Amino acid sequence: MSAGTAWLVVLLAGAGSYLLRIAAVAARARFTPPEWVERASAWVMPAAFAGLAAGSLSQRLGGEPREGVPLLLAALVTVAAARRWSANRAVLAGVAVLTAGVLVSSAV
């Protein structure tokens, strides 16, 4: 594949992504989604974060045990905080625990 072809693929993928995003905004402006879609959309961000965290956690737990401990603790704190507070506070609590855990484990 030549450099020109690679750039063409990148530009077409970017244009396609942009069009999909604009289509969602345009569709939203033309009609109101059902109530169940509105309720489900509140769970998109927590589900996406949980998916990313689970993938990262499972990847790290396969390696050296010390590397996975901060991630495991952050995941547990995030779940506990999500049950008690909002999703935003839960994410902040998880990030704080993860940061502290990484700093402590790298110092050891």
Side-chain angles (χ1 to χ4, degrees), residues 42-96:
W43 293 97
V44 170
M45 190 273 298
F49 180 76
L52 290 171
S56 178
L57 184 59
S58 66
Q59 194 174 37
R60 287 291 184 167
L61 290 179
E64 201 176 314
R66 186 179 76 171
E67 292 176 0
V69 172
L71 284 169
L72 185 59
L73 288 175
L76 293 173
V77 166
T78 303
V79 169
R83 290 180 168 268
R84 177 96 169 119
W85 299 303
S86 69
N88 291 337
R89 286 185 180 179
V91 170
L92 289 175
V95 168

